[in-house]
Amino acid sequence: MSDAVRVRFAPSPTGHLHVGGARTALFNWLFARHHGGAFILRIEDTDRSRSTEENEQAILEALRWLELDWDEGPPTPGYRQTERLELYCARAAQLVAAGRAYYCDCPPEQLEAERKAAEARKETFRYSGRCRDRGLTAGALRLRIPEDGSTIVHDLIHGPVVFEHRQLDDWILVRSDGTPTYNFCVVVDDVDMRISHVIRGNDHLSNTPKQVLCYEALDFPVPQFAHVSMILGPDRSRLSKRHGATSVQAFRDEGILPEAMVNYLVRLGWSHGDQEIFTRRELIERFDIKDVAASGAVFDRTKLEWLSHEYLKATDGARLAAMAVPFIERAGLPVLPDRARLAAMLETLRERARTLVELVEAGRFYFERPRGYEPKAAEKYLTADGARRLELLVRRLETLEPFTAEAIEGAVRELTAQLSLKLVDLAQLARLAVTGRTASPPIFQVLALLGREEALERLRAARLAAAR
Ligand code: GLU
């Protein structure tokens, strides 16, 4: 594994994995795999009040579902920020010893009053630097920022972004209670984990000059940065819950296929000509962070569903069966113990669904008998004539050998000819009888997959309903 590329995904476990976070993880993962580098997972849980174990597990599970495997990270100890406090203390001491950081004992009320005054003047609050040269040995630890000049962040997506030092202030590295701040932990971790490229959301761009100055103070090389634009809702505001489902888990629960989710996410901001569908291998080969667009990308649910449909169509029955079982259970339907038959059933449905939820819904009739018949069709087909035809069909199918789709079709064709009917008349009648609906996968296949016993039960039940 090359050491030249080491990237990380650093979620805060304060909620589930948002699609924006998932896309950041994916871009990092692809970048690492493309360059033969390492993908590291770090849990940024310093915000103790909002971080939970449950959220952390949900994030890991979502990453596994997307098959974004990490080379370093949990459950190996040491990849959670709360496990790394000693390291932050050591780096803080280094900065103090080098004169790059200083203690400040300004009372919070005073700072708050200054902040309010700045706001009243419509200015951004900047710490005055009052404690810079007081030589204090306790209090909050602040980074000494050069007063003049500027820091240029050379962003791989946005190009050079200039931040005037006048706009920054001596930010706090460690609070007076000894807890390190978020920006400081990120820098220390990225140094310690030898991160070469920081690929993250655009919302962190404004933190970057502060962090760059901290790397310099620590005398460490600055990594390369790439800030990925935000994902937007249809109204072009930042995608949030009010736009509907935004967590990866919610899409998984809706039955979107993971490969569709990956393919969808990668195209939010990245493109390769006008190709829409990519295999994992193609993505790894073609992905380059430099091709990621600087502008925001609008989340388009219809396209995600279209992709999911495309992937469903291409998925074989065995995998469909494995994926569909939890959805069958959740729909309160029985799971067939015969997996091969279940697989064959699901294969007949995959053209008809965009998600696994829809797949199961489209195939409900395989798992339970019809609870009723579509009224209009019942009026047309479940008549006295219909009852007679069903009776003949039952008799014919009782002894048919073998009970295959082909043989069933042959038998129905013969019967059609005998009765001087059209094939569609008997086929629709049988369809209504076994599925309760007028649309289903090819009916002879459905009958064969249900099996003789079940198919006959349903045909007999419909005959009774017709005779009434
Ligand atoms: N923990 C931060 C977040 O979840 C990411 C910070 C970073 O990537 O530098 O937004």
Side-chain angles (χ1 to χ4, degrees), residues 320-343 345-346 360 364 366-368:
L320 285 180
M323 288 192 297
V325 165
F327 291 89
I328 297 174
E329 282 168 350
R330 212 180 313 145
L333 296 166
V335 176
L336 290 185
D338 180 348
R339 279 303 166 86
R341 192 141 71 97
L342 177 60
M345 287 172 170
L346 296 176
V360 170
R364 185 168 267 276
Y366 277 127
F367 313 116
E368 68 174 10

Side-chain angles (χ1 to χ4, degrees), residues 8 10-12 44 182 186 200 204:
R8 82 310 191 271
S12 305
E44 302 206 320
Y182 163 74
V186 169
R200 63 184 169 196
H204 291 286

Side-chain angles (χ1 to χ4, degrees), residues 250-446:
F251 290 108
R252 183 196 61 191
D253 294 347
E254 285 180 24
I256 295 283
L257 294 201
E259 50 273 54
M261 193 80 219
V262 163
N263 200 137
Y264 180 70
L265 289 175
V266 80
R267 289 282 290 104
L268 277 177
W270 176 80
S271 56
H272 184 82
D274 47 18
Q275 188 171 343
E276 285 293 357
I277 298 185
F278 298 85
T279 64
R280 208 32 88 126
R281 183 175 291 275
E282 284 174 328
L283 286 180
I284 292 172
E285 263 167 31
R286 293 174 194 173
F287 184 79
D288 191 337
I289 196 73
K290 295 192 185 86
D291 295 334
V292 171
S295 55
V298 176
F299 194 83
D300 176 357
R301 221 199 132 81
T302 318
K303 186 167 165 203
L304 172 61
E305 286 171 352
W306 170 76
L307 273 167
S308 190
H309 179 57
E310 292 301 308
Y311 278 101
L312 260 184
K313 283 195 292 190
T315 303
D316 69 42
R319 177 143 186 270
L320 285 180
M323 288 192 297
V325 165
F327 291 89
I328 297 174
E329 282 168 350
R330 212 180 313 145
L333 296 166
V335 176
L336 290 185
D338 180 348
R339 279 303 166 86
R341 192 141 71 97
L342 177 60
M345 287 172 170
L346 296 176
E347 271 188 15
T348 67
L349 303 163
R350 58 187 172 188
E351 296 279 339
R352 300 166 177 267
R354 293 170 300 183
T355 66
L356 291 165
V357 167
E358 288 183 3
L359 186 80
V360 170
E361 205 38 54
R364 185 168 267 276
F365 63 84
Y366 277 127
F367 313 116
E368 68 174 10
R369 293 184 179 160
R371 295 170 184 211
Y373 305 98
E374 271 179 33
K376 262 202 164 153
E379 218 173 278
K380 177 164 176 200
Y381 291 103
L382 300 184
T383 56
D385 272 346
R388 263 193 305 281
R389 289 168 192 169
L390 284 167
E391 170 71 33
L392 292 170
L393 186 59
V394 165
R395 266 201 234 141
R396 186 68 196 88
L397 296 186
E398 269 168 349
T399 54
L400 182 72
E401 284 300 343
F403 198 75
T404 58
E406 248 181 22
I408 296 169
E409 178 169 354
V412 174
R413 279 188 189 280
E414 267 173 39
L415 196 58
T416 314
Q418 274 170 30
L419 300 172
S420 313
L421 291 170
K422 284 197 230 111
L423 184 65
V424 58
D425 296 326
L426 274 190
Q428 273 307 75
L429 175 63
R431 173 173 283 126
L432 186 68
V434 298
T435 71
R437 310 177 188 177
T438 49
S440 79
I443 183 60
F444 308 120
Q445 221 174 333
V446 170

Side-chain angles (χ1 to χ4, degrees), residues 11 41 43 55-65 70 74-75:
L41 179 61
I43 305 295
N55 284 333
E56 181 183 322
Q57 287 314 319
I59 291 170
L60 300 194
E61 211 181 291
L63 291 173
R64 287 193 197 103
W65 181 69
W70 50 97

Side-chain angles (χ1 to χ4, degrees), residues 8-12 24 42 44 182 186 190 198-201 203-204 211:
R8 82 310 191 271
F9 176 54
S12 305
T24 299
R42 176 170 85 222
E44 302 206 320
Y182 163 74
V186 169
D190 286 342
V198 171
I199 303 171
R200 63 184 169 196
D203 47 340
H204 291 286
Q211 295 180 359

